Amino acid sequence: MSAIKDSRNINFNIKHLRKGDPLPPFNGKLRVYNMRYCPYAQRTILALNAKQIDYEVVNIDLIDKPEWLTTKSAFAKVPAIEIAEDVTIYESLVTVEYLDEVYPKRPLLPQDPLKKALDKIIVEASAPIQSLFIKILKFSDTVNEEHVAAYHKALDFIQEQLKNRGTVFLDGSEPGYADYMIWPWFERLRAFAHDERVRLEPSKYSLLLEYIDNMLKDSAVSQYLIPLEILAKFHEAYTKKERPNYELLNECLKSF
Amino acid sequence: MVSPKINFNTKHLGKGDPLPPWSGKLRVYNMRLCPFAQRTILTLNAKQIDYEVINIDLVNKPEWLPTKSIFGKVPTIEVEDGVCICESLIIAEYLEEVYPEIPLISKDPIKKAYEKIIIEASEPIFVMYFKVMRTPDTINDETLMSYHKALTFFEGQLRNRGTRFLGGEKPGFADYMIWPWFERIQSMNDEKLKIKSAKFDLLVAYIENMYKDPAVSQYLLPKDVMDKLHAEYKTGKFEVQSIEDLL
């Protein structure tokens, strides 16, 4: 798997800034406005890691947003990247496509226009996986057979793509755009392995499960993984309708 | 350059209708009323690419549709016999790459990113349109606020650029991707949707200019067709047996 020697020392596990916290001054380094547990922001982080771009993270408290957030991200969402002072780009796929264009090392999207289109189609096809995840997390009672069927159809599609391509990852011998853009949800579904609606049946999804194992070992992914117990604890807050604790990892790491 | 004359108004093919044999020409699987498929038609028109239209009866889908469209939806384009690409935005980006002669997307990576951001930002606009048409009871203060925020964002983008269209002096990618919603909003006489010049003077002028763009004007839907479609949804149940009933 990926044996990239990574010399960047990115601190992902810093305090999530909230209302009243000042905006850290821009110091010239590419900045990601992030939330440690956000799957959409994770897409940007994965692309930056894979392309070994140096960057800093500013974590945002999404429940109690800092006043200055809309000056960086017009829709007050994460991710947003600040590429020069006050020059920002937001919307996860837009940030990744921008980075892929501007940083040519380790291209994530295929060069061939048709292959590129097919990669993007795979990401679109993963939409039912994203929507089932958020429903199970926040509105578990509203999950019906249709949602679960659409989820399985999406998994079948992705598995079929893997099978047809015959490569370790969707994008070849190393992960690429399609792999990284769908990964955040595969990572989170592991925390719901007990839930029958979500669980990947080994008899049905052996190729996909093998793929997930391979992705876990990829360095862009592994350096940003959240331990399953922490992820489960973070998710618990949503099911209990409590305020999520963004500082779980920071608290956990401090205790060592 | 004269645009090739395309027949948009062919019969919508349904169950039992055979797949027309591949003719070698780029093909769009379309539905005359579909705003997403309209994005593809506008792109092709603007880039003056020659193509043929196969209209699909989405109420009564032909058996062969999944072989052309992974998700069974329109638009999908067939670029070679059996080689298809679906999803309206993906299609537009593909066409831009393969037919570079009349560019619609900015070459500058930051400007390009903002064109995509504006398209994403337009989601509340079509959400609002669909709600007004199909489920008006679900419209609440939040829906209205999101809608107005999106219009404000759009107006702001027009103001910042100082050009007639988002794409410059001629419409570009973002203009064509969002146009189908503006066309439909204008055709509905709904107070909640109405874009008023008091607040959105640039947007109102912009819409008037878009109507005149040749890529747009050759594909405009007649008002009576739009009214029929909207009336059908207002009944609460969409009971047409075929798309042809609306045309």
Side-chain angles (χ1 to χ4, degrees), chain A residues 121-133:
Chain A
I121 288 170
I122 293 176
V123 178
E124 275 306 307
S126 73
I129 301 174
Q130 297 168 35
S131 55
L132 183 67
F133 168 70

Side-chain angles (χ1 to χ4, degrees), chain B residues 10-239:
Chain B
T10 55
K11 174 180 180 280
H12 286 69
L13 303 180
K15 218 171 258 158
D17 288 325
L19 168 66
W22 176 250
S23 69
K25 204 181 262 198
L26 189 150
R27 176 180 282 185
V28 184
Y29 293 95
N30 186 52
M31 194 278 273
R32 189 62 180 88
L33 308 167
C34 175
F36 295 98
Q38 184 178 4
R39 287 169 153 178
T40 305
I41 302 286
L42 293 175
T43 306
L44 291 163
N45 291 351
K47 293 175 77 67
Q48 298 189 29
I49 296 165
D50 196 15
Y51 64 101
E52 65 174 8
V53 169
I54 302 291
N55 279 323
I56 300 291
D57 192 335
L58 294 177
V59 173
N60 188 22
K61 294 178 184 179
E63 298 85 343
W64 40 260
L65 184 61
T67 67
K68 304 300 177 188
S69 174
I70 298 167
F71 311 120
K73 298 194 281 186
V74 295
T76 169
I77 60 170
E78 194 161 7
V79 302
E80 279 170 47
D81 194 1
V83 181
C84 297
I85 298 167
C86 56
E87 294 299 308
S88 58
L89 297 179
I90 297 174
I91 291 169
E93 288 173 32
Y94 170 85
L95 290 170
E96 182 73 3
E97 261 191 282
V98 173
Y99 297 88
E101 298 79 20
I102 300 175
L104 298 181
I105 307 180
S106 178
K107 298 276 186 296
D108 174 79
I110 296 177
K111 288 200 171 118
K112 183 189 291 196
Y114 269 87
E115 289 179 38
K116 295 178 188 179
I117 287 171
I118 294 171
I119 294 166
E120 289 298 315
S122 69
E123 193 181 308
I125 299 176
F126 67 76
V127 165
M128 185 64 164
Y129 165 71
F130 280 125
K131 278 188 191 262
V132 167
M133 187 169 67
R134 297 180 187 177
T135 55
D137 306 327
T138 66
I139 297 172
N140 56 27
D141 287 338
E142 207 188 305
T143 333
L144 287 166
M145 210 175 67
S146 293
Y147 174 64
H148 280 106
K149 238 175 163 172
L151 292 179
T152 306
F153 183 76
F154 203 96
E155 176 90 2
Q157 288 295 313
L158 278 171
R159 182 155 284 119
N160 292 349
R161 284 148 199 257
T163 48
R164 183 179 285 212
F165 302 103
L166 293 169
E169 286 314 303
K170 290 211 284 195
F173 178 55
D175 301 292
Y176 289 125
M177 294 304 102
I178 301 174
W179 173 253
W181 316 114
F182 287 135
E183 180 179 331
R184 282 155 183 73
I185 285 169
Q186 294 300 89
S187 77
M188 289 189 114
N189 211 3
D190 190 293
E191 272 311 302
K192 289 183 286 297
L193 280 180
K194 229 177 203 132
I195 298 169
K196 299 187 182 125
S197 59
K199 213 185 161 199
F200 299 112
D201 61 318
L202 287 180
L203 193 45
V204 168
Y206 165 82
I207 291 171
E208 285 312 305
N209 286 328
M210 280 297 284
Y211 270 118
K212 296 177 203 150
D213 178 73
V216 167
S217 60
Q218 64 180 283
Y219 196 68
L220 284 171
L221 275 168
K223 186 164 192 318
D224 62 308
V225 171
M226 286 287 217
D227 289 345
K228 217 172 173 181
L229 175 70
H230 295 147
E232 192 59 42
Y233 276 106
K234 261 205 167 70
T235 65
K237 8 179 194 163
F238 193 80
E239 276 180 344

Side-chain angles (χ1 to χ4, degrees), chain A residues 66-80:
Chain A
E67 300 88 337
W68 38 260
L69 184 60
T70 47
T71 68
K72 303 299 180 187
S73 179
F75 313 128
K77 295 194 285 184
V78 294

Side-chain angles (χ1 to χ4, degrees), chain A residues 17-51:
Chain A
L17 302 180
R18 53 166 77 185
K19 204 173 279 170
D21 287 329
L23 169 66
F26 190 70
N27 61 19
K29 199 181 265 197
L30 190 151
R31 174 182 283 182
V32 185
Y33 293 94
N34 186 50
M35 191 278 274
R36 188 63 177 88
Y37 302 87
C38 175
Y40 295 97
Q42 186 176 359
R43 286 169 154 175
T44 309
I45 301 282
L46 291 173
L48 289 163
N49 291 350
K51 295 173 77 69

